[in-house]
Amino acid sequence: MRAIQVKEYVKGPSDLVVTSLPTPTPSSSQYLIAIHATATNFFDLLQIRGIYQHQPPLPWISGSEFSGTILSAPSSLSNPKFSIGDCVFGASQGGYATHICCTEERLRPVPKGWDFLGAAGLMVTAPTSYAALVTRAGVKKGDFVLIHAAAGGVGLAAVQVAKAFGATVIATAGSARKLEVAKSYGADYGIDYNAAGWEAEVKKLTPKGKGVDIVFDSVGLVDKSLRCTAWNGRIVLVGFAGGSIEKVAMNRVLLKNVSIVGLHWGMYATEEEETVEEVWQALFKLMEEKKFRSTVCTDREFVGLESVGEALGMLGRRETWGKVVVKVPQEEGKSKL
């Protein structure tokens, strides 16, 4: 197979190299999958530099999210969920490759009507956004929801989930193009969060200027968002894409009766396994109802593992929107894309 193997930590994505390696042999509990598309993530940029909280022992294959076809099923399972030839998506260490071994709980069937490109970017962003807004924040019809970085992969998923539940969405982003993208996915309003006083602009968009009911924060803007959060508002924190851990004026939390909650989706498989299934069932229902669509960035096409470095570089420089996904042609050129 071909893969991006990290033998030593690199300075950046431009240093990544594609190499030829033996196709992995799955254990008795693993599927072998031919990868047809692989999605990029911000944590990949940290991991290749050796500064992510989860660092596999060297050498290792970079990447995580992927989609593809089943080549072999686990020999230890009497009734495997997937059969040879099935189209699946998932996430496991080693997504930047033509093949990967993966256990069943890390895989889902490609939704009806979806292609490999769209499905490759589902495994992280879709459940994160749904669990944050529904499981943690309790979004409901009539809520005003402020979604930061709304044109990112997680942000666009959140916009769609909030709209599916009947909420009014105020999207923030850092450029006119990204605000345009957020609105094309259903956001009702768009505000540039680089502009001074954006908090006041958000309040003006809410009934009687009371502020928003829910803040979806993947950036690290809790302190500023408190200025435009309503009484009994809920702020759900899903990440720190801004690069720093902020300090929050807790007196505002008290005075507005605000709830601040976190969402660590990756831990649900360990702590609340039943919730994982509930979230995915709900997401597949939204997809069937055409209320949730692919968030893949279409401004630029990336083809081949050799383009992963460039894709990651653009992601890191905030030059893209949605999910940045790379097509991975198989050696025989039979990739279903």
Side-chain angles (χ1 to χ4, degrees):
M1 72 170 186
R2 302 177 73 242
I4 295 178
Q5 186 183 54
V6 177
K7 296 180 180 179
E8 60 183 10
Y9 298 127
V10 298
K11 292 182 180 179
S14 62
D15 297 325
L16 296 174
V17 177
V18 180
T19 60
S20 294
L21 297 167
T23 300
T25 301
S27 69
S28 61
S29 63
Q30 291 179 319
Y31 290 87
L32 176 63
I33 299 147
I35 294 177
H36 296 312
T38 183
T40 61
N41 286 285
F42 278 106
F43 60 74
D44 295 332
L45 290 165
L46 301 178
Q47 198 176 54
I48 62 175
R49 293 164 56 202
I51 57 175
Y52 190 53
Q53 59 258 42
H54 302 299
Q55 292 291 148
L58 294 166
W60 45 271
I61 297 172
S62 186
S64 175
E65 287 183 290
F66 63 88
S67 63
T69 53
I70 300 292
L71 296 180
S72 68
S75 59
S76 65
L77 298 183
S78 58
N79 187 28
K81 184 182 296 183
F82 304 107
S83 303
I84 294 174
D86 283 354
C87 300
V88 296
F89 68 92
S92 187
Q93 186 69 54
Y96 295 154
T98 57
H99 297 78
I100 193 170
C101 295
C102 193
T103 52
E104 192 165 272
E105 74 276 4
R106 291 179 172 270
L107 298 171
R108 301 282 163 177
V110 171
K112 184 178 180 180
W114 285 57
D115 61 11
F116 286 125
L117 203 66
L122 278 174
M123 198 68 174
V124 173
T125 58
T128 295
S129 299
Y130 189 96
L133 286 172
V134 182
T135 308
R136 299 293 279 152
V139 65
K140 63 184 183 302
K141 184 177 181 179
D143 280 340
F144 272 68
V145 181
L146 175 63
I147 298 176
H148 288 308
V154 173
L156 289 178
V159 169
Q160 295 183 86
V161 170
K163 292 303 296 181
F165 277 78
T168 298
V169 172
I170 302 173
T172 70
S175 71
R177 169 59 177 150
K178 291 184 177 182
L179 289 173
E180 177 187 357
V181 169
K183 288 182 178 180
S184 74
Y185 275 79
D188 299 281
Y189 305 100
I191 289 179
D192 187 338
Y193 56 21
N194 291 319
W198 61 262
E199 308 96 309
E201 295 303 310
V202 169
K203 288 190 71 174
K204 290 178 183 177
L205 295 173
T206 62
K208 299 181 180 180
K210 69 181 181 66
V212 295
D213 303 290
I214 297 173
V215 177
F216 179 93
D217 186 11
S218 61
V219 180
L221 291 171
V222 171
D223 195 55
K224 288 186 177 180
S225 298
L226 280 166
R227 300 170 187 169
C228 57
T229 303
W231 170 260
N232 276 336
R234 293 92 75 196
I235 298 177
V236 57
L237 185 63
V238 300
F240 304 97
S244 60
I245 309 299
E246 65 177 324
K247 294 182 179 179
V248 177
M250 296 304 290
N251 60 311
R252 290 188 188 137
V253 178
L254 183 151
L255 292 172
K256 288 190 171 184
N257 221 42
V258 169
S259 300
I260 301 178
V261 298
L263 186 282
H264 186 176
W265 175 248
M267 284 301 294
Y268 273 78
T270 301
E271 301 293 341
E272 283 183 52
E273 189 175 358
E274 67 281 1
T275 301
V276 174
E277 293 305 315
E278 292 172 3
V279 167
W280 275 113
Q281 287 176 18
L283 281 167
F284 277 113
K285 186 173 185 294
L286 290 182
M287 294 175 206
E288 291 172 6
E289 296 172 347
K290 308 299 183 184
K291 294 179 179 178
F292 192 100
R293 61 187 172 98
S294 167
T295 62
V296 173
C297 179
T298 56
D299 287 355
R300 169 76 183 275
E301 184 179 55
F302 297 94
V303 181
L305 293 173
E306 289 80 5
S307 67
V308 166
E310 185 179 6
L312 280 171
M314 292 183 69
L315 178 71
R317 294 189 298 271
R318 307 294 200 274
E319 296 173 359
T320 60
W321 55 265
K323 287 294 295 188
V324 180
V325 180
V326 177
K327 294 181 180 179
V328 183
Q330 290 291 307
E331 288 84 357
E332 65 274 18
K334 300 290 186 179
S335 185
K336 180 186 174 184
L337 288 166

